Amino acid sequence: MITLFINGNKETYSGSGEESLLTYLRRDLKINSPKDGCSGEGSCGACTVEVNGKAMLACRSKIKDLDQADVVTTEGLPSNLRQLLGKMFAEKGAVQCGFCSPGFIMRAKQLFKKEDIPKMEQIIKAVNPNICRCTGYIKIVDAIEASLIIHHQNKNNKKATTPEQQDARIGKPYPKYQALETALGNRPFVDDLIFDDMLFGVLTFSEHPRAVVKSINTLNAQQVKGVKKIFTAKDIPGVRTNGLIFQDWPMMINEGEVTNCISDVLACVVAETEEQARRAAELVEVDYQVLEAVTDVHKAVKPDCIQVHSGQSNILETCSISFGNVEKAFNDAAYTSSSVYTTQRIEHAFLEPECAIALPENGKLRVYTQGQGAYIDRKLIAKILALNEADVLVT
Ligand code: FES
């Protein structure tokens, strides 16, 4: 039995000591301000909490090491500090998606213990372990600095700087909708939502970028306690091939078909808990005939290269841009240069986990997704499930 003090409340834990503090906070205590942005790799900082006065990553802290520990999340911050930090994050525009914000706030909290206002370099160094994938760091550091200045003014009984009046008129800054709640972790992301009797789905992905899926055996996976159902391509009632721009993305690969990449889905395990579903997904047995994969973009564009999607060119699109009289400009130019130019790959790499929740609602299907296009989500889901678009409600 392990005793912890979470935001001042005494809690006793009797499960596996190997479990992380993050799992305990989120799953058992339903405290969702610490976020899971990297599946326990300790690389994003979104789960930062205070443990015995120090900023720690909850995902890397095992419960067995925390007997009698004092744990503080944004919910347990002194209310004046909580409000100040939340307000400054909102006003300085430090909250875009806001998934990282509670972690930054808990990391920044350590700076409020100092006698003097830390210098900008100290603030930057303090928040360095945390990652933000959308706001950029300047506004976050500005928000922390502004909070520290006001905090010290209040502490020294000096008149605190009044933030600029914000009244939504043209030309005046105005905080984003629900930015304060988001900064403090009070506005739930899809991964934070919990419904009664909710089941959990976990996907089995292809192990090979290009292989014939000879067979998919789910018998062992079905034996795992808590497993309710395992779906494969055969269970999709509607159109299986989908896509945002080009309709070339199979939602699942069927037996006898060829995989196109290692993120192709072969099965979806549904179970009572996420742990059960993950265990079972690993037990789905797939027999592959591994084929040569296309892994070089320069070879891929050659006409004799293997086609990733059979019957379709590997060139998705060619784009030509010209302004004015290009031929004349080239002829008149003193020098011309012709080459192949490449840029770095840019992946937005959002911290929020990809997830969705679906539930019946008055004969329709309500879907909570973290996607940004509610209408396109509705269209694609209706197509896969052979439903009318009007019967799919996307939130
Ligand atoms: Fe930082 Fe989105 S606002 S990850």
Side-chain angles (χ1 to χ4, degrees), residues 93-101 104 131-137 140 176 182 189 348-352:
V95 185
Q96 201 172 113
C97 79
F99 193 82
C100 67
S101 307
F104 270 98
I131 292 175
C132 171
R133 296 302 303 156
C134 37
T135 295
Y137 298 94
I140 294 173
K176 203 168 135 169
T182 308
F189 288 78
H348 180 63
F350 39 83
L351 293 183
E352 183 187 358

Side-chain angles (χ1 to χ4, degrees), residues 37-50:
C38 63
S39 301
E41 288 185 3
S43 57
C44 77
C47 67
T48 306
V49 297
E50 187 180 75

